[in-house]
Amino acid sequence: NRDWKSSLEPLYGWTRGTASFNALLHVRGRLRARRTERNLPNREERAADGTPAWVAPAAERYADEVAALEEQLDERGVRLVVAAFPHPWQVFGRWNNDRIGPVSRALARRGIEMADLSPALRDSGLEMEELYLFPHDGHASPRAYALAAEVLEPHVRRALDTRPALTP
């Protein structure tokens, strides 16, 4: 997006924050989504467990990338902590399918632990607008980040306690 916006700098400067610019972003997003959908497996195909057929290969590829990153960080004496921050619709039950479990299991097969923040957010008793910046966007709110910090603290402490000593 930065490259795209910088290439349109004069136009972007005049139109950002306007309905016209928002409409342009919306159209661009729709075109990208349509192009991406053509390259995905059939959305109706299902694995034996009922999940869409594309989920398992995508989770495995993601886990491979995370494992490669962890290896690079480990060489530098840095521990990786992986956290799954769920989409609001996952937390509030509008999606019935598990979008985090397949990734968590793929990472676990590689010996990588993932902290799933879904239960803490779900059990908080807070409304969607309190946990996420709706209706403006779907990013987490400061309250959600505070809950995430509580969940992540033991994971980060464990990572700090187990990191190898750095050699000069």
Side-chain angles (χ1 to χ4, degrees):
N1 275 339
R2 284 188 184 128
D3 289 342
W4 184 69
K5 288 176 184 175
S6 66
S7 68
L8 300 173
E9 184 59 41
L11 181 62
Y12 176 70
W14 290 348
T15 61
R16 82 169 163 234
T18 67
S20 298
F21 188 74
N22 190 35
L24 179 62
L25 289 177
H26 185 74
V27 168
R28 181 172 168 247
R30 289 250 186 222
L31 291 173
R32 277 187 166 179
R34 195 169 290 149
R35 188 171 51 239
T36 301
E37 284 178 5
R38 283 188 218 123
N39 298 325
L40 291 175
N42 181 344
R43 290 184 163 263
E44 301 304 317
E45 291 179 36
R46 299 280 173 179
D49 65 359
T51 60
W54 61 268
V55 170
E60 292 298 327
R61 180 171 178 206
Y62 179 80
D64 286 342
E65 295 292 330
V66 171
L69 174 63
E70 183 185 48
E71 191 175 306
Q72 291 175 6
L73 293 172
D74 201 39
E75 290 170 3
R76 294 174 176 87
V78 177
R79 290 288 186 232
L80 177 67
V81 175
V82 179
F85 212 112
H87 189 281
W89 293 349
Q90 186 85 31
V91 174
F92 291 92
R94 294 184 186 164
W95 280 339
N96 294 329
N97 56 353
D98 178 14
R99 294 176 179 241
I100 294 175
V103 174
S104 180
R105 290 187 293 276
L107 289 170
R109 284 191 289 278
R110 290 157 180 81
I112 301 170
E113 178 186 0
M114 183 178 79
D116 181 2
L117 303 174
S118 303
L121 296 175
R122 193 176 304 118
D123 297 343
S124 71
L126 297 172
E127 297 294 322
M128 186 182 294
E129 291 77 14
E130 294 174 285
L131 289 175
Y132 295 90
L133 299 177
F134 282 135
H136 307 292
D137 70 39
H139 287 94
S141 71
R143 292 181 85 178
Y145 283 125
L147 288 168
E150 290 176 20
V151 172
L152 289 173
E153 180 192 14
H155 296 275
V156 172
R157 287 190 185 280
R158 191 168 40 255
L160 291 172
D161 291 343
T162 60
R163 79 178 162 204
L166 296 176
T167 53

